Amino acid sequence: MRTDRQDTQSRPISFELDYIPHAPGSVLARFGSTAVLCNVCIEETVPKHLIGTQKGWITAEYAMLPQAGLRRSPRDGRPTVKGRVHEIQRLIGRSLRAGLDLNVLGPRTITVDCDVLCADGGTRTASITGGWIALRMAVWRFFDHRVPPGLISAECLAAISAGWVDGRCLLDLDYHEDSAADVDLNLVGTDQGGWIEIQGTSESKPQHASVFQDLIRLAAEGLPRLFAKQREIFERGRIG
Protein backbone atom coordinates (compact mmCIF):
# COMPACT_ATOMS: atom_id res chain seq x y z
CA MET A 1 0.00 0.00 0.00
CA ARG A 2 1.21 3.49 -0.81
CA THR A 3 1.83 5.63 2.24
CA ASP A 4 3.47 8.70 0.69
CA ARG A 5 0.86 9.62 -1.95
CA GLN A 6 -2.52 8.74 -3.40
CA ASP A 7 -2.86 6.08 -6.10
CA THR A 8 -3.65 8.80 -8.64
CA GLN A 9 -0.71 11.05 -7.68
CA SER A 10 2.69 11.15 -9.33
CA ARG A 11 5.94 11.38 -7.41
CA PRO A 12 7.68 14.72 -6.76
CA ILE A 13 9.01 15.85 -10.14
CA SER A 14 11.71 18.43 -10.81
CA PHE A 15 14.02 19.58 -13.61
CA GLU A 16 17.45 21.15 -13.12
CA LEU A 17 18.50 23.11 -16.19
CA ASP A 18 22.04 23.46 -17.59
CA TYR A 19 23.35 20.63 -15.45
CA ILE A 20 26.19 20.25 -17.97
CA PRO A 21 27.11 23.87 -18.77
CA HIS A 22 28.71 23.33 -22.20
CA ALA A 23 25.77 21.35 -23.63
CA PRO A 24 23.28 23.54 -25.53
CA GLY A 25 20.50 21.63 -23.83
CA SER A 26 21.04 19.85 -20.50
CA VAL A 27 18.42 18.81 -17.95
CA LEU A 28 18.58 16.63 -14.86
CA ALA A 29 15.09 15.14 -14.61
CA ARG A 30 13.92 13.69 -11.29
CA PHE A 31 10.83 11.53 -10.87
CA GLY A 32 10.94 10.69 -7.17
CA SER A 33 14.28 8.94 -6.59
CA THR A 34 14.77 8.32 -10.31
CA ALA A 35 17.29 10.74 -11.82
CA VAL A 36 18.09 10.94 -15.55
CA LEU A 37 20.56 13.35 -17.11
CA CYS A 38 19.38 14.45 -20.57
CA ASN A 39 21.95 16.19 -22.79
CA VAL A 40 21.34 17.37 -26.36
CA CYS A 41 23.69 18.28 -29.17
CA ILE A 42 22.92 19.46 -32.72
CA GLU A 43 25.22 18.64 -35.64
CA GLU A 44 25.20 19.86 -39.24
CA THR A 45 25.03 16.33 -40.63
CA VAL A 46 22.46 13.61 -41.25
CA PRO A 47 22.39 9.80 -41.54
CA LYS A 48 23.20 8.35 -44.94
CA HIS A 49 19.57 7.62 -45.80
CA LEU A 50 18.72 11.34 -45.47
CA ILE A 51 21.59 12.81 -47.48
CA GLY A 52 20.20 15.05 -50.22
CA THR A 53 16.69 15.20 -48.74
CA GLN A 54 17.13 18.47 -46.78
CA LYS A 55 15.42 16.64 -43.92
CA GLY A 56 16.71 16.42 -40.36
CA TRP A 57 16.82 13.62 -37.81
CA ILE A 58 16.46 13.10 -34.07
CA THR A 59 18.01 10.11 -32.36
CA ALA A 60 18.49 9.06 -28.74
CA GLU A 61 20.97 7.06 -26.72
CA TYR A 62 20.09 5.62 -23.32
CA ALA A 63 22.36 4.11 -20.70
CA MET A 64 22.40 3.32 -17.00
CA LEU A 65 25.37 3.98 -14.77
CA PRO A 66 26.68 0.69 -13.33
CA GLN A 67 25.32 1.52 -9.85
CA ALA A 68 22.12 3.23 -10.95
CA GLY A 69 19.96 0.33 -9.74
CA LEU A 70 19.93 -1.85 -6.65
CA ARG A 71 22.68 -4.03 -8.11
CA ARG A 72 25.65 -3.07 -10.23
CA SER A 73 24.95 -3.55 -13.92
CA PRO A 74 27.86 -4.06 -16.35
CA ARG A 75 28.58 -1.33 -18.86
CA ASP A 76 27.00 -2.21 -22.20
CA GLY A 77 29.18 -3.06 -25.17
CA ARG A 78 28.58 -0.10 -27.43
CA PRO A 79 28.44 0.50 -30.35
CA THR A 80 26.28 -2.65 -30.55
CA VAL A 81 23.26 -2.16 -28.29
CA LYS A 82 20.55 -4.78 -28.03
CA GLY A 83 17.55 -5.76 -25.95
CA ARG A 84 15.90 -3.47 -23.44
CA VAL A 85 18.29 -0.56 -24.00
CA HIS A 86 17.69 -0.64 -27.75
CA GLU A 87 13.93 -0.67 -27.22
CA ILE A 88 14.07 2.32 -24.84
CA GLN A 89 16.32 4.30 -27.19
CA ARG A 90 13.90 3.75 -30.04
CA LEU A 91 10.96 4.83 -27.87
CA ILE A 92 12.70 8.05 -26.82
CA GLY A 93 13.72 8.85 -30.40
CA ARG A 94 10.24 8.16 -31.83
CA SER A 95 8.59 10.25 -29.14
CA LEU A 96 10.81 13.30 -29.58
CA ARG A 97 10.68 13.15 -33.39
CA ALA A 98 6.92 13.47 -33.17
CA GLY A 99 7.28 16.91 -31.60
CA LEU A 100 9.33 18.48 -34.41
CA ASP A 101 8.88 18.88 -38.15
CA LEU A 102 12.05 17.28 -39.51
CA ASN A 103 11.65 19.09 -42.84
CA VAL A 104 11.79 22.47 -41.10
CA LEU A 105 14.75 21.30 -39.01
CA GLY A 106 16.80 20.96 -42.18
CA PRO A 107 19.81 18.66 -42.75
CA ARG A 108 20.81 18.45 -39.10
CA THR A 109 20.95 15.68 -36.52
CA ILE A 110 19.82 16.17 -32.93
CA THR A 111 21.18 13.57 -30.51
CA VAL A 112 19.56 13.21 -27.10
CA ASP A 113 21.72 11.37 -24.57
CA CYS A 114 19.79 10.02 -21.59
CA ASP A 115 21.99 8.70 -18.79
CA VAL A 116 20.30 7.19 -15.76
CA LEU A 117 22.06 8.30 -12.58
CA CYS A 118 19.60 6.61 -10.23
CA ALA A 119 16.89 4.11 -11.24
CA ASP A 120 13.72 3.76 -9.19
CA GLY A 121 11.17 3.12 -11.91
CA GLY A 122 10.05 5.34 -14.78
CA THR A 123 13.48 5.91 -16.34
CA ARG A 124 12.06 5.99 -19.87
CA THR A 125 9.28 8.42 -18.98
CA ALA A 126 11.77 10.70 -17.21
CA SER A 127 14.06 10.47 -20.26
CA ILE A 128 11.29 11.57 -22.63
CA THR A 129 9.95 14.33 -20.39
CA GLY A 130 13.36 15.74 -19.51
CA GLY A 131 14.66 15.10 -23.00
CA TRP A 132 11.94 17.31 -24.50
CA ILE A 133 12.94 20.22 -22.27
CA ALA A 134 16.62 19.77 -23.17
CA LEU A 135 15.73 19.52 -26.86
CA ARG A 136 13.65 22.71 -26.77
CA MET A 137 16.50 24.54 -25.04
CA ALA A 138 19.08 23.32 -27.55
CA VAL A 139 16.95 24.25 -30.57
CA TRP A 140 16.17 27.69 -29.15
CA ARG A 141 19.86 28.41 -28.60
CA PHE A 142 20.98 26.87 -31.90
CA PHE A 143 18.69 29.19 -33.85
CA ASP A 144 19.90 32.25 -31.94
CA HIS A 145 17.09 32.41 -29.37
CA ARG A 146 14.27 31.98 -31.83
CA VAL A 147 12.48 28.99 -33.29
CA PRO A 148 11.74 28.70 -37.04
CA PRO A 149 7.99 28.80 -37.72
CA GLY A 150 6.47 25.35 -37.92
CA LEU A 151 9.47 23.55 -36.40
CA ILE A 152 7.77 22.65 -33.13
CA SER A 153 4.36 21.03 -33.38
CA ALA A 154 3.58 21.08 -29.64
CA GLU A 155 4.77 23.26 -26.79
CA CYS A 156 4.90 20.39 -24.30
CA LEU A 157 5.61 16.69 -24.73
CA ALA A 158 5.87 14.25 -21.83
CA ALA A 159 5.46 10.65 -20.73
CA ILE A 160 4.21 8.93 -17.59
CA SER A 161 3.65 5.39 -16.38
CA ALA A 162 0.68 3.63 -14.82
CA GLY A 163 0.27 0.10 -13.54
CA TRP A 164 -2.20 -2.48 -12.27
CA VAL A 165 -0.82 -3.56 -8.89
CA ASP A 166 -2.70 -5.82 -6.47
CA GLY A 167 -6.00 -4.96 -8.12
CA ARG A 168 -5.43 -1.19 -8.09
CA CYS A 169 -4.50 1.37 -10.73
CA LEU A 170 -1.40 3.33 -9.71
CA LEU A 171 0.13 6.36 -11.41
CA ASP A 172 3.89 6.84 -11.88
CA LEU A 173 5.25 3.56 -10.55
CA ASP A 174 8.43 3.33 -8.51
CA TYR A 175 10.67 0.28 -8.79
CA HIS A 176 8.90 -1.87 -6.20
CA GLU A 177 5.48 -1.13 -7.66
CA ASP A 178 6.71 -1.74 -11.20
CA SER A 179 8.27 -5.08 -10.26
CA ALA A 180 4.98 -6.22 -8.68
CA ALA A 181 2.69 -4.90 -11.41
CA ASP A 182 0.40 -7.28 -13.30
CA VAL A 183 0.11 -4.68 -16.07
CA ASP A 184 2.69 -2.00 -16.83
CA LEU A 185 1.83 0.88 -19.17
CA ASN A 186 3.59 3.99 -20.49
CA LEU A 187 1.82 6.85 -22.26
CA VAL A 188 3.53 9.58 -24.33
CA GLY A 189 1.48 12.62 -25.30
CA THR A 190 1.44 16.34 -26.03
CA ASP A 191 -0.36 19.31 -24.57
CA GLN A 192 -2.37 19.53 -27.81
CA GLY A 193 -4.27 16.42 -26.73
CA GLY A 194 -2.46 14.04 -29.08
CA TRP A 195 -0.97 10.73 -28.01
CA ILE A 196 2.29 9.58 -29.53
CA GLU A 197 2.69 6.11 -28.10
CA ILE A 198 1.06 3.70 -25.67
CA GLN A 199 3.14 0.79 -24.36
CA GLY A 200 1.12 -1.66 -22.28
CA THR A 201 2.00 -5.18 -21.25
CA SER A 202 0.43 -7.86 -19.09
CA GLU A 203 3.27 -9.33 -17.07
CA SER A 204 1.65 -12.65 -16.12
CA LYS A 205 -1.81 -13.58 -17.39
CA PRO A 206 -4.22 -11.94 -19.84
CA GLN A 207 -6.13 -9.03 -18.36
CA HIS A 208 -9.54 -7.66 -19.24
CA ALA A 209 -9.62 -4.75 -21.66
CA SER A 210 -11.14 -2.55 -18.95
CA VAL A 211 -7.87 -2.73 -16.98
CA PHE A 212 -5.93 -1.29 -19.91
CA GLN A 213 -8.62 1.33 -20.51
CA ASP A 214 -8.48 2.42 -16.86
CA LEU A 215 -4.68 2.67 -16.96
CA ILE A 216 -4.72 4.71 -20.15
CA ARG A 217 -7.28 7.05 -18.60
CA LEU A 218 -5.20 7.41 -15.42
CA ALA A 219 -2.00 8.10 -17.35
CA ALA A 220 -3.76 10.67 -19.55
CA GLU A 221 -4.97 12.44 -16.41
CA GLY A 222 -1.39 12.52 -15.09
CA LEU A 223 0.15 14.20 -18.14
CA PRO A 224 -1.17 17.77 -17.54
CA ARG A 225 0.94 18.13 -14.39
CA LEU A 226 4.06 17.41 -16.43
CA PHE A 227 2.95 19.84 -19.13
CA ALA A 228 2.45 22.54 -16.49
CA LYS A 229 6.00 22.06 -15.18
CA GLN A 230 7.44 22.17 -18.69
CA ARG A 231 5.43 25.27 -19.58
CA GLU A 232 6.61 27.01 -16.42
CA ILE A 233 10.23 26.35 -17.39
CA PHE A 234 9.73 27.59 -20.96
CA GLU A 235 7.95 30.75 -19.84
CA ARG A 236 10.45 31.49 -17.06
CA GLY A 237 13.39 31.08 -19.42
CA ARG A 238 11.53 32.72 -22.32
CA ILE A 239 12.33 29.67 -24.41
CA GLY A 240 10.47 29.84 -27.71
Side-chain angles (χ1 to χ4, degrees), residues 52-173:
T53 65
Q54 297 302 306
K55 187 176 181 180
W57 188 245
I58 300 175
T59 187
E61 293 193 7
Y62 168 97
M64 291 183 62
L65 293 186
Q67 201 63 64
L70 295 178
R71 299 179 181 83
R72 184 188 185 279
S73 56
R75 297 183 188 274
D76 58 44
R78 293 183 187 277
T80 301
V81 179
K82 299 181 180 179
R84 176 178 179 273
V85 170
H86 186 62
E87 176 220 336
I88 294 175
Q89 288 184 171
R90 288 173 58 85
L91 170 64
I92 298 170
R94 284 195 305 270
S95 299
L96 298 180
R97 283 195 294 273
L100 265 67
D101 187 328
L102 300 180
N103 291 298
V104 179
L105 177 61
R108 304 177 177 93
T109 295
I110 298 177
T111 302
V112 183
D113 288 296
C114 300
D115 293 289
V116 180
L117 309 185
C118 184
D120 186 29
T123 60
R124 68 188 70 191
T125 56
S127 295
I128 293 169
T129 307
W132 178 250
I133 298 174
L135 188 153
R136 286 282 307 271
M137 291 173 58
V139 167
W140 180 66
R141 288 167 173 167
F142 181 85
F143 289 104
D144 195 23
H145 296 180
R146 64 179 183 84
V147 177
L151 176 59
I152 297 174
S153 60
E155 180 182 20
C156 300
L157 186 155
I160 198 163
S161 68
W164 180 249
V165 185
D166 293 332
R168 292 157 41 225
C169 288
L170 304 182
L171 182 69
D172 189 21
L173 307 183

Side-chain angles (χ1 to χ4, degrees), residues 17-79:
L17 307 187
D18 294 321
Y19 192 82
I20 301 296
H22 51 263
S26 180
V27 174
L28 179 62
R30 295 184 182 274
F31 280 42
S33 297
T34 289
V36 182
L37 177 58
C38 306
N39 292 320
V40 173
C41 75
I42 303 177
E43 300 172 289
E44 300 276 6
T45 183
V46 292
K48 290 183 179 180
H49 71 281
L50 291 177
I51 292 177
T53 65
Q54 297 302 306
K55 187 176 181 180
W57 188 245
I58 300 175
T59 187
E61 293 193 7
Y62 168 97
M64 291 183 62
L65 293 186
Q67 201 63 64
L70 295 178
R71 299 179 181 83
R72 184 188 185 279
S73 56
R75 297 183 188 274
D76 58 44
R78 293 183 187 277

Side-chain angles (χ1 to χ4, degrees), residues 164 180-184 201-207:
W164 180 249
D182 293 310
V183 178
D184 182 21
T201 305
S202 176
E203 301 290 347
S204 54
K205 61 182 180 180
Q207 299 289 340

